[in-house]
Every structure is written in structure tokens, then in C-alpha cells.
Amino acid sequence: MISIVKESAPHIRRKSSVTRMMLDVVIALLPVVIFSIVVYQWQAVKVLGISIITMILSEFVYVGLRNKMPNDGQKHTFKEKFEYAYKGHYTHANWIAPLVSALIFSMIMPANATWYACFIGSLAGIVIGKLVFGGLGNNIFNPAAVGMIVSKICFSSKYPEMKTNWFFDTVAGGTPLTDASNGIVNALNDYSILDLFIGKTGGTLGEACAALIIVGAIYLLIRRSCDFRAMLSYLLSFSSAIISKRWSFLS
């Protein structure tokens, strides 16, 4: 007889813990996070700060509500209720996981996003994209992606173009490939290969500098915290979509 066992993700086990793998993601994101702070300065700090605080606090409140002390007819102190809710239930994963989601959410947001767009987007991402499904390992959507979509739908008109005061002017708008009908050829007409590689182009906080994104990817591959086949399939799918768009545009 076949026995079916219900388990939460991840389904492929390895020696490293889930916490260690998420910490690897944080380390891999550090280059683009630092780049965004250097280029956009306090604008980036604002987006990062609001997103990180919102998601970590939301996870904290969720753990407390989920493990709330049942009513047994007796009076309990706040300390007793707090220890009952969090002792043994709130682990390192409960703050590292929302930290990862908050960093990713911040890196796919424009630097000049308003504080309420960051707050509502990050709150919607962690609650709708993760907590309503049962928390870590049970969510079917990426919290960062859900948050960005909500923020983009609700507040995209509040994102005026801005320029940095760093050693080059960068517009915090769409990337050179935003208009897929124009494709790579037109992007190369407007930007050099070096500009595209070092992030001397428009884009959100963390998507402009390809060099630093590649550095993070290499780190994850070395640490075996990601599978190269997933990266390869994504790149091939993206490339085929761009090529097909280009051919349809020419025709």
C-alpha cells in the first residue's frame, strides 16, 4: 500500500537548513542593496526600511495570533501569554524569511515610491502572498511579487521620474527592455554594453546593475542554494519571448 505523507516545502532535503539557505539569499542580495543605497541614497533607505519593518512585524504578529493562548477561564499575565505564543514558535526563520521577501520587494520597487505605496505593497505581499496560506513553506505565491503587483496597480501614477545625483544620471523608470516590441537592438542603440552591465540605465532599485546580479547568482550557485537549471530555463524562456516579439515587430 502506498502511504501519502503531507509535508510543507521545501520538498527536496539537503544538509543545510532552510534558515541557512535564506541567509544565503540575503548575502546574495547585498551587492544590489548596497548599490541601490549608493546610487539612490535616502530614497533607497526609505523603501528598504519601510518594507523590512512592515514584513517582519507582520510575521511577528501572525505568529502571536496563530499561537494565542486559549481561554481556560483563568487570568494570565501579559508575560505568560507572550511566552505561550512565541516560545518555541518564533524561530530564526520567522524573521529571516520576511527579511528576504522585503529585500526582494524593495529591489523591484522604484526609488521614488511613496511611503504608503511601500507600506501597503509590502503588507499586501506578506499577508496575501504568504500568511493567509499558513506561513513559511505553505504559500503558493511569491510575497515580493504580490506586493509589487498590488503597489503597481494601486499607485503606479504616483511614481514620477527622478534622477540621481551620483556620477551619472539614472532615471528610476522602466529598464531598456521594458518595450519588448523594440527589443534588444534599440536598447543597444540607446545604451552601450558597458552601461547595461554596470547599471548606467533606468530601472528599479535592484534590477539595473547586471554585474552585481550576476555576482549574487554565482554566490548562490557556489553555495548550492539554487539550481542552475531553474536559472537556465528562465533565461531561455525570456530570450525566446524577446526574439519572438522582435520577429513579430519586424513582420
Side-chain angles (χ1 to χ4, degrees):
M1 178 180 291
I2 299 176
S3 178
I4 300 176
V5 179
K6 181 181 178 182
E7 293 183 345
S8 61
H11 302 291
I12 299 178
R13 305 294 175 178
R14 51 172 290 181
K15 292 182 179 179
S16 297
S17 64
V18 175
T19 302
R20 176 65 238 190
M21 294 175 67
M22 289 189 293
L23 187 58
D24 283 337
V25 177
V26 172
I27 295 173
L29 287 169
L30 284 180
V32 291
V33 170
I34 294 172
F35 176 85
S36 68
I37 294 174
V38 170
V39 175
Y40 297 105
Q41 303 173 10
W42 288 109
Q43 294 280 1
V45 173
K46 175 196 69 178
V47 176
L48 284 162
I50 294 174
S51 304
I52 291 172
I53 292 172
T54 300
M55 288 199 174
I56 290 181
L57 282 181
S58 297
E59 180 92 15
F60 184 81
V61 172
Y62 166 78
V63 172
L65 293 176
R66 185 174 184 178
N67 301 288
K68 185 179 179 180
M69 179 181 285
N71 187 5
D72 55 4
Q74 299 181 7
K75 290 186 177 180
H76 296 278
T77 64
F78 175 81
K79 181 179 179 181
E80 290 175 334
K81 294 179 180 179
F82 186 87
E83 289 181 347
Y84 183 92
Y86 291 99
K87 190 174 182 179
H89 299 125
Y90 191 82
T91 64
H92 293 300
N94 289 112
W95 65 266
I96 294 180
L99 174 61
V100 170
S101 297
L103 290 177
I104 297 175
F105 170 77
S106 301
M107 292 300 100
I108 56 179
M109 288 287 287
N112 54 339
T114 58
W115 70 267
Y116 50 86
C118 299
F119 171 72
I120 294 177
S122 56
L123 182 64
I126 194 71
V127 174
I128 301 175
K130 177 183 176 183
L131 299 182
V132 295
F133 294 98
L136 182 64
N138 298 303
N139 51 300
I140 61 176
F141 300 114
N142 185 305
V146 172
M148 185 274 290
I149 291 171
V150 171
S151 181
K152 185 72 173 179
I153 291 175
C154 298
F155 306 109
S156 60
S157 62
K158 302 295 184 180
Y159 296 165
E161 290 188 350
M162 64 168 287
K163 292 187 177 183
T164 70
N165 56 0
W166 203 33
F167 69 90
F168 56 80
D169 289 335
T170 302
V171 178
T175 62
L177 296 180
T178 298
D179 187 1
S181 62
N182 292 334
I184 297 175
V185 175
N186 282 7
L188 294 178
N189 290 334
D190 297 331
Y191 303 96
S192 68
I193 294 293
L194 181 60
D195 289 343
L196 294 170
F197 190 67
I198 66 174
K200 204 173 179 181
T201 64
T204 58
L205 282 176
E207 71 176 339
C209 187
L212 297 181
I213 295 174
I214 293 173
V215 169
I218 292 173
Y219 173 80
L220 291 176
L221 289 171
I222 293 174
R223 288 285 304 163
R224 298 182 64 189
S225 291
C226 68
D227 195 323
F228 77 94
R229 291 170 293 187
M231 291 185 180
L232 185 61
S233 63
Y234 175 81
L235 289 173
L236 291 175
S237 300
F238 174 77
S239 300
S240 62
I242 291 295
I243 293 173
S244 63
K245 280 285 186 180
R246 182 59 180 170
W247 278 110
S248 63
F249 176 75
L250 291 175
S251 60

